């Protein structure tokens, strides 16, 4: 080998070693982070037990309507289906007078009865901390005052959201719209939806419409299609988006019929919410795969949650697992100031540290944008570690992903 080549090779090998060492702690920890896939056997066991107690057939279990109709909503049912301490049951009883809870039998089967800190349980079952939250607001985003018509929230120049329902496969304990869960399940009236559609028709700058809720995929195919059809008929609506957690909480919802119907309304995008690798089971993978096969790009909107995913290793693993499922990590949301959910809030520094540990250390594709929703409906605001240190007349001082500070010549 010529001398130059040899020297270069040595430099590259040294650098490669250094790079490898820079993720050594992640490589050590990563295999310890549980995923829905590697817990498959345990989940299957839980499912068998739950199905037996509920006297459910396979056909029923695999039917999303059965899953929705049989959501567990009382502690007497809950007690029959999972091992749960009397102390915890008592706490749930106290909370349920104030905040409703519901969990699909499927999502219940993901709870690990042997793990007191189970991240599925934390997302799904009430905690007494909800009652100990004396601050916060019910509507910190002031959705109520950014509602120009029907069930619309409009906060941006060219896009808006329409809420179709308040029903969900599960009432996530960190829900930002818990004020709307109320006492009863209800799809919004056709009248209200029509009013929303009329508003969009009259406002030609609206080119992107996002259907949300509640969970729009709790509607039947034909109910949902009514709205999709009307939107598709509006010439200036360029894209439609659906925000749904059903692929995670009731993956049985993603049927071939649904996908065949959705396909007619391209360009259509779906954003889901996966908060921990444990949310991603074989069933969730299958649901996601079906959506992808229908040509629908899927993004993930995770919520940064204390005790669930407020850790750089877990977030890295989550985003890598999402890429394996062909889901693009889109946003990580700072948990909002919603009354009764603030025990999930982390410091903003926790979020910044997570972002710091993603950029450069893993695929750019695995990096979502970290967002603080500005209070008062002022909109999503990106928060980044500082890479842009200062700027002179003809240079910019930058910090690389590893923390190297460099002056980069800038055009005048
Ligand atoms: C989040 C949100 C949107 C969509 O925002 P993107 O950044 O385009 O994904 C639109 N309208 C409202 C009211 C929202 O809260």
């Amino acid at each position: 080998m010529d001398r130059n080549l040899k020297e270069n090779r040595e430099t590259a090998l040294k650098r490669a070693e250094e790079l490898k060492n820079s993720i050594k702690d992640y490589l050590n920890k990563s295999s310890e982070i549980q995923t829905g896939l590697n817990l498959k056997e345990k989940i299957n066991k839980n499912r068998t037990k739950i199905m037996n107690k509920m006297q459910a057939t396979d056909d029923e279990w695999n039917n999303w309507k059965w899953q929705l109709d049989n959501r567990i909503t009382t502690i007497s049912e809950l007690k029959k289906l999972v091992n749960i301490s009397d102390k915890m049951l008592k706490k749930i009883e106290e909370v349920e007078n104030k905040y409703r809870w519901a969990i699909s039998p499927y999502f219940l089967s993901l709870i690990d009865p042997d793990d007191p800190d189970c991240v599925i349980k934390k997302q799904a079952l009430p905690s007494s901390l909800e009652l100990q939250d004396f601050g916060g607001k019910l509507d910190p985003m002031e959705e109520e005052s950014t509602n120009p018509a029907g069930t619309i929230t409009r906060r941006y120049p060219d896009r808006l959201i329409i809420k179709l329902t308040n029903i969900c496969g599960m009432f996530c304990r960190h829900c930002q719209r818990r004020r709307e869960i109320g006492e009863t399940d209800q799809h919004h009236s056709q009248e209200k939806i029509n009013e929303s559609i009329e508003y969009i028709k009259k406002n030609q700058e609206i080119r992107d419409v996002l259907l949300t809720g509640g969970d729009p995929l709790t509607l039947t195919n034909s109910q949902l299609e009514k709205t999709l059809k009307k939107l598709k008929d509006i010439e200036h609506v360029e894209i439609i988006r659906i925000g749904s957690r059903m692929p995670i909480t009731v993956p049985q919802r993603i049927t071939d019929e649904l996908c065949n119907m959705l396909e007619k309304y391209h360009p259509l995008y779906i954003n889901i919410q996966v908060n921990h690798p444990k949310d991603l089971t074989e069933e969730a993978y299958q649901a996601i795969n079906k959506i992808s096969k229908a040509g629908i790009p899927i993004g993930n909107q995770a919520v940064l949650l204390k005790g669930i995913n407020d850790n750089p290793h877990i977030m890295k693993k989550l985003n890598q697992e999402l890429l394996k499922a062909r889901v693009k990590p889109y946003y990580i949301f700072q948990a909002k100031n919603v009354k009764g959910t603030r025990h999930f809030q982390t410091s903003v520094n926790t979020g910044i540290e997570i972002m710091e540990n993603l950029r450069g250390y893993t695929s750019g594709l695995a990096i979502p944008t970290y967002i603080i929703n500005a209070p008062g409906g002022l909109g999503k605001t990106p928060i980044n570690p500082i890479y842009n240190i200062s700027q002179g007349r003809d240079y910019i001082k930058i910090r690389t992903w590893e923390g190297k500070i460099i002056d980069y010549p800038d055009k005048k």
Side-chain angles (χ1 to χ4, degrees):
M1 233 192 273
D2 97 22
R3 220 172 107 210
N4 247 341
L5 188 64
K6 195 163 165 242
E7 261 175 35
N8 285 343
R9 180 57 57 82
E10 272 167 18
T11 310
L13 285 172
K14 219 173 111 203
R15 175 65 174 152
E17 196 57 28
E18 202 176 291
L19 290 170
K20 183 174 162 175
N21 282 332
S22 76
I23 56 164
K24 214 167 207 165
D25 57 337
Y26 176 71
L27 294 176
N28 286 334
K29 295 269 167 51
S30 150
S31 61
E32 289 166 24
I33 300 171
Q34 296 182 320
T35 72
L37 280 186
N38 60 34
L39 289 169
K40 188 174 160 185
E41 268 176 45
K42 207 160 192 178
I43 293 169
N44 284 349
K45 242 189 230 164
N46 296 341
R47 182 181 59 210
T48 306
K49 178 178 166 188
I50 294 171
M51 283 179 71
N52 281 339
K53 299 258 161 134
M54 295 181 87
Q55 299 187 323
T57 64
D58 281 333
D59 281 349
E60 283 172 329
W61 185 269
N62 293 324
N63 180 325
W64 69 273
K65 285 186 181 150
W66 183 90
Q67 288 283 342
L68 270 193
D69 290 345
N70 288 280
R71 284 173 306 167
I72 292 92
T73 58
T74 67
I75 53 168
S76 59
E77 279 172 286
L78 184 65
K79 202 160 65 174
K80 275 188 256 166
L81 304 176
V82 281
N83 285 336
I84 195 160
S85 71
D86 284 343
K87 202 172 137 203
M88 173 107 191
L89 287 169
K90 186 106 187 63
K91 283 179 186 167
I92 296 176
E93 195 170 19
E94 283 164 19
V95 177
E96 70 183 6
N97 294 323
K98 184 153 183 194
Y99 300 119
R100 213 147 67 101
W101 63 280
I103 176 174
S104 68
Y106 161 80
F107 208 69
L108 188 74
S109 75
L110 311 192
I111 291 182
D112 182 350
D114 305 323
D115 179 3
D117 283 324
C118 175
V119 296
I120 300 289
K121 187 158 79 182
K122 285 182 183 171
Q123 294 183 71
L125 297 180
S127 146
S128 53
L129 296 171
E130 295 178 34
L131 294 181
Q132 290 160 28
D133 185 356
F134 302 108
K137 292 181 172 177
L138 284 175
D139 181 21
M141 297 300 114
E142 293 187 18
E143 289 195 349
E144 314 287 345
S145 61
T146 45
N147 167 224
T151 59
I152 287 174
T153 304
R154 181 170 183 184
R155 213 173 264 167
Y156 298 108
D158 68 343
R159 61 203 185 283
L160 50 73
I161 64 181
I162 309 181
K163 293 175 205 167
L164 299 185
T165 177
N166 80 342
I167 305 180
C168 283
M170 165 171 107
F171 293 133
C172 303
R173 301 326 294 166
H174 53 276
C175 180
Q176 58 163 329
R177 299 209 179 106
R178 72 168 8 175
R179 72 182 189 285
E180 294 184 331
I181 292 168
E183 302 297 324
T184 49
D185 280 349
Q186 232 159 15
H187 294 323
H188 292 310
S189 70
Q190 202 52 55
E191 202 184 334
K192 281 255 160 135
I193 310 273
N194 288 343
E195 200 184 310
S196 310
I197 304 272
E198 285 310 308
Y199 177 88
I200 295 168
K201 273 189 195 160
K202 279 190 293 213
N203 291 273
Q204 298 207 355
E205 69 282 9
I206 302 301
R207 41 160 288 286
D208 174 2
V209 176
L210 215 160
L211 302 178
T212 178
D215 199 313
L217 294 187
T218 59
L219 273 69
T220 63
N221 295 353
S222 61
Q223 284 170 332
L224 183 60
E225 186 165 16
K226 261 193 216 162
T227 302
L228 291 174
K229 213 178 241 155
K230 285 177 189 158
L231 289 172
K232 180 99 185 148
D233 284 344
I234 305 175
E235 212 163 308
H236 57 268
V237 173
E238 297 171 1
I239 63 170
I240 303 172
R241 294 194 257 176
I242 294 175
S244 173
R245 212 182 176 198
M246 289 286 274
I248 304 306
T249 57
V250 186
Q252 296 80 4
R253 175 65 185 101
I254 313 304
T255 59
D256 293 336
E257 295 74 34
L258 173 71
C259 293
N260 291 339
M261 185 276 280
L262 292 177
E263 248 180 355
K264 291 191 273 172
Y265 299 94
H266 274 314
L268 184 80
Y269 290 74
I270 291 186
N271 274 330
I272 60 177
Q273 186 195 134
V274 185
N275 292 325
H276 190 282
K278 245 175 131 170
D279 297 358
L280 282 173
T281 61
E282 190 166 278
E283 286 88 342
Y285 264 91
Q286 281 166 1
I288 288 166
N289 205 23
K290 277 191 181 162
I291 299 171
S292 291
K293 276 193 175 155
I296 303 170
I298 313 175
N300 188 55
Q301 308 194 138
V303 186
L304 180 55
L305 299 166
K306 194 185 214 157
I308 293 176
N309 59 17
D310 59 333
N311 167 296
H313 295 325
I314 292 177
M315 272 295 188
K316 193 194 282 185
K317 176 107 171 176
L318 171 64
N319 291 315
Q320 291 175 351
E321 291 295 311
L322 286 166
L323 286 190
K324 281 158 71 178
R326 285 186 290 167
V327 176
K328 170 76 186 86
Y330 181 45
Y331 284 147
I332 296 179
F333 290 121
Q334 175 69 9
K336 295 173 188 149
N337 220 11
V338 175
K339 195 180 188 67
T341 70
R342 291 187 313 148
H343 54 291
F344 286 118
Q345 276 186 326
T346 68
S347 70
V348 173
N349 268 338
T350 303
I352 292 175
E353 197 193 332
I354 284 168
M355 297 311 294
E356 178 79 49
N357 275 277
L358 290 174
R359 177 61 64 193
Y361 293 92
T362 193
S363 316
L365 271 177
I367 306 176
T369 306
Y370 174 41
I371 294 282
I372 292 184
N373 254 290
L378 293 179
K380 296 183 174 73
T381 309
I383 304 296
N384 271 310
I386 294 167
Y387 296 106
N388 171 355
I389 292 185
S390 64
Q391 218 161 343
R393 247 163 56 88
D394 54 3
Y395 73 95
I396 174 169
K397 197 180 275 300
I398 58 172
R399 183 183 62 98
T400 70
W401 61 277
E402 288 171 288
K404 295 190 172 131
I405 311 264
I406 286 165
D407 282 344
Y408 180 85
D410 194 10
K411 280 258 163 68
K412 274 192 218 170

